[in-house]
Amino acid sequence: MTKTKSVPQTSAGTAVPQFATSDRKPIKLTEVVHPDGRISQYPPPDVWDDWVEWDGKEWPKRVARRYTLVPTVCFNCESACGLLAYVDKDTFEIRKFEGNPVHPGSRGRNCAKGPATHNQVYDPERILYPLKRVGKRGEGKWERISWEQALTEIAEKMRKSKLSRPNGIVYHVGRPGEDGYANRVVQTWGMDGHNSHTNICSSSARAGYNFWTGQDRPSPDYANARVILLISSHLETGHYFNPHAQRIIEAKTDGAKLITFDPRLSNTASMSDVWLPTWPGSENTILLAIANHLIQNDLYNKEFVRKWTNWKEFLQFIQSSTSSEWDSVRPLVSNLREASPFSFDIFDKVLKTLYSEYTFERAAQESDVPIERIQETAKYVANCEGKLATHVWRSASVGNLGGWQVARCLFFLNVLTGSVGNRGGTSMTNWNKFVPKPFKGAPSPETWNELHYPMEYPLAHYEMSILLPHMLEEGRGSIDVYFTRVYNPMWVNPDGFMWLKALKDESKIKCYVALTPTWNETAWFADYVLPTGHGPERHDLMSQETHAGQWIAFRQPVRRVAMERAGIKVDFTYQANPGEVWEENEFWIQLSACMDPDGSLGIRQWFESPYRKGEIITVDEYYQWIFENSVPGLPEAAAKEGLTPLAYMRKYGVFEVKKENYSPFEKVIGKFVMGNLMEDDLPITNYTVDDKDRVLKDNQVIGLSIDSEVKVGFDTPSKKLEFFSDTLANWGWSEKENVIPWTLKSHVHPDFINREKGEMILLPNFRLPTLIHTRSANAKWLVEISHKNPIWMNPEDAQHSGLETGDLARVETEIGHFVDTVWVTEGIKPGVIAISHHLGRWRLQEDSGVSKGSSNLVELHDDGKGGFLMRVVHGAQAWKSSDPDTSRIWWSNVGVNQNLAHAVHPDPISGVHCWLQKVRSIRKADPDDKAGDLFVDTNCSMQVYREWLAMTRPADKVSPDGTRRPYWLARPLKPLKEAYKLPK
């Protein structure tokens, strides 16, 4: 596929962009007054197609430039903030990216990562053409190939795999950056082939929320909250950093109290009204002490708890249980006759008895936090007036064994205060995130992939991706074709040298295809490296739960859109992008069609146009259908402006579906009138009400009976908030510490850390707000701001270890050691060291691989016995390229890839990697050590893997119904029920 001659070329990746001059004068900006009182100015949307402004770089000369402004979506975190690309109307080069003022989530404001998109587009080291390996894996020998060759060869391997076995192809995604497109593609292949990064990111918190609500992500209404409680530095560096940060600051300005749990004095902690520097793993004790304060003093919302929690089921469980754990409360329920209904008063007494052990004194002792701060936090929560906005995403929930209970205990406070789904409270993701349905969906797969959902983890909140190389090492299976997209497991996952072993063994992973716009450590070992676009070089739909409304945003390839506005025909996006950089949307369409050219595999049908029978769909047609049929209100809004729905989204880049969406679980779908169920004054027949107050019609649950009304309820099996998890009780985890919000003993509990011997806790999973996981290395502005990840160490610990700021230290872990510089600060709790997880990039060749300005050149030594030694040759250096800024690199220390020296810690319930690491020792480095050096023994890796595997309770031992996993639990590409059956 060659470029069409009429399509203008871009200098991106090869030269400095050039911009034309204009003889027109600039247009006045629109002034916007924000809720917090600040004023911004933006180009009015009606002149986006022909915008003129002075060139600031030409000052003091007054040189005007003429642009077409194309809205798109930032792809440098998951917030999906709106961007406007300033595309030169003559050269079609991109001048800059600024905020899209009509975007309801970001509202025209962006963090540093948004404008830095320009760095990524014009990165002189980006991959511009498809590459195929010609040497051994990891040798770095490549040949440039055409897209036709890549499609033909990869599709043939996929077809061969599809014909030979059900699950030979794997799509492994890191940050998806889109909603549903790739999942739909994988589902059309008819296999259980989806893998994700979720169990290194958020699966523990998501599991905790899922057990409560049936949804797995919270959506705090920060802007209207009276109290905001964050477990981590979420304001500063969290999942929805920019849109959430805006609203948290607005709430603080309006008088809201901000509370932060974090062993580290983050920027967020420094801005909080109360900072609780908790000992890792003690968070639940504090949360339950606050809950106990509400319960004992009758300060909780009893009416909300009565109506919306499954308290009756919990009392029935106690009554039937023979475990001594419930002895303290059994007398409260055992005297009731079986026919007698439970009263809420009994439940209240049970709560008071159960949680009485969680005193402020106990919380202060276990957390090593002053009792006054815990009491102050409890006072704020008690006085929140039902407006408590809370959030945990990573931090303690993914740090600790049993961290899913952190989310359970945190949300318990929302439930007790009635702050669920209401204004100022905490909603759930599906109430504020909008995902439209595509034109045609393939059926669920009929098969189960044991490499993704092994027998040992029936409750895992998504795939056990961290264990893939360990399971391959054990001989549990192999992969025919392995795709990674926005994913760099060798660098970002724990135990990266196990990934290296798997990738170098072509009997385990037979063909590896890396979809990436830039080099990364894992892609270096691929068979094909296919350059796919950065944010402004691709199509995607995105929506996130940024606030109490619902919106959908349209990411666009901005040069292509600008050219099409100018009347230039573009058939495929790679024709308008730098080099031959493609977008995944079109790539997946063409690859799937090439895999099944005659339709005999049943795949081609899912990629045929709904508008042109029998012909392959175009990317325009795909989104045209969605905008015309799946986004409520969009066709009407477009018609008012004389536009088609697709043209409307091309123009504005976003559509607000709902301005507010509070308490959807309260929606009334029927009422009982004189014993009859009525909907819109018409009787509903064939219904029953079961002993859990669920209303069933034709044996399907349709709602929940509450006080003579039938309401939508929640997405749990009980349709209620599940204070008591019947699922955990039935699937082998019936202990008190599992079935209700409770404390679980972390793997880094003080009992397991001998500080007298120099053992400490390593907190390795905090973020820097200017970086983007594995995508920052080629964003020069961001790397200049943040390029090293030193060891945060308290002065007490530094004195004990004989270390000072700037010293090199060797940190010994369970499976090896690494070397990094020390930063002595009182901003970290004694007994804990902390290292940011964004940095420590590396490359194996001087002039190829990860950017020279953000990576170490290293030598990698394999002793052939499971030991891997990485030695740094030198750090970042300046170099000459098409970008003059690369000659201005002034830093050399780019940190350490600490994750390589972390053993896997898969939580036996949620499946999350428990990131906190036990440090066996930390001491001054050896004379020949360099920052970034490390060693790992993969024999120890496998030993630790097996120790954690032994904690599990496999489905074939505990399943109550002969299935692999509870069917109601969420999972991507859920197979048919038949696939859930345990093998005989």
Side-chain angles (χ1 to χ4, degrees), residues 484-714:
T484 57
R485 175 181 170 271
V486 196
Y487 198 42
N488 183 11
M490 191 185 302
W491 176 80
V492 75
N493 278 29
D495 217 353
F497 286 127
M498 288 299 299
W499 286 88
L500 177 62
K501 289 182 68 176
L503 288 167
K504 292 182 76 172
D505 188 339
E506 295 185 43
S507 69
K508 292 183 172 68
I509 299 176
K510 299 171 186 177
C511 176
Y512 171 30
V513 183
L515 304 177
T516 176
T518 57
W519 283 110
N520 63 55
E521 290 80 353
T522 312
W524 192 254
F525 294 86
D527 299 307
Y528 297 87
V529 178
L530 305 183
T532 48
H534 287 294
E537 299 166 346
R538 51 186 296 126
H539 288 93
D540 293 305
L541 287 179
M542 280 201 78
S543 177
Q544 295 293 12
E545 56 275 19
T546 56
H547 61 291
Q550 284 185 332
W551 50 267
I552 186 168
F554 190 29
R555 182 178 289 120
Q556 305 187 83
V558 299
R559 292 190 80 248
R560 175 175 181 166
V561 173
M563 291 176 190
E564 290 173 338
R565 287 180 181 177
I568 299 172
K569 180 177 174 53
V570 180
D571 295 317
F572 291 102
T573 298
Y574 69 82
Q575 296 170 330
N577 278 343
E580 288 184 1
V581 173
W582 212 354
E583 61 166 311
E584 277 103 333
N585 279 198
E586 290 180 340
F587 169 76
W588 289 128
I589 291 171
Q590 297 301 318
L591 180 66
S592 299
C594 194
M595 179 183 174
D596 186 21
D598 59 1
S600 60
L601 295 181
I603 295 172
R604 180 187 170 92
Q605 61 178 309
W606 308 110
F607 296 93
E608 292 178 346
S609 170
Y611 302 101
R612 296 173 296 113
K613 188 174 180 179
E615 297 186 48
I616 296 299
I617 193 172
T618 66
V619 71
D620 268 13
E621 290 174 332
Y622 180 84
Y623 291 107
Q624 175 187 344
W625 192 96
I626 288 176
F627 295 149
E628 289 175 350
N629 298 280
S630 291
V631 184
L634 174 55
E636 292 79 5
K640 287 181 180 178
E641 298 198 19
L643 300 171
T644 66
L646 177 61
Y648 181 99
M649 293 300 285
R650 289 262 185 239
K651 177 178 179 179
Y652 294 106
V654 71
F655 180 71
E656 186 172 54
V657 180
K658 289 183 181 179
K659 191 170 288 293
E660 293 181 350
N661 190 35
Y662 290 114
S663 303
F665 59 90
E666 290 268 16
K667 181 181 178 181
V668 177
I669 58 176
K671 294 184 178 182
F672 288 101
V673 179
M674 299 186 68
N676 295 314
L677 181 57
M678 310 290 288
E679 181 182 11
D680 297 330
D681 296 325
L682 296 174
I684 298 177
T685 58
N686 299 327
Y687 78 89
T688 57
V689 181
D690 67 12
D691 59 355
K692 295 181 179 179
D693 301 322
R694 299 179 304 177
V695 179
L696 296 86
K697 178 175 170 56
D698 300 324
N699 295 319
Q700 296 294 317
V701 177
I702 62 170
L704 187 66
S705 174
I706 298 180
D707 299 339
S708 299
E709 292 182 324
V710 179
K711 298 189 176 185
V712 170
F714 293 88

Side-chain angles (χ1 to χ4, degrees), residues 315-356:
L315 296 182
Q316 290 167 354
F317 172 77
I318 295 174
Q319 192 175 51
S320 63
S321 174
T322 58
S323 170
S324 61
E325 289 184 303
W326 308 105
D327 285 353
S328 64
V329 293
R330 187 171 286 108
L332 296 173
V333 298
S334 60
N335 293 330
L336 291 173
R337 295 189 304 274
E338 193 168 320
S340 301
F342 289 116
S343 73
F344 186 79
D345 288 342
I346 294 174
F347 177 67
D348 177 64
K349 291 175 183 177
V350 168
L351 284 182
K352 284 180 165 64
T353 303
L354 279 177
Y355 288 100
S356 61

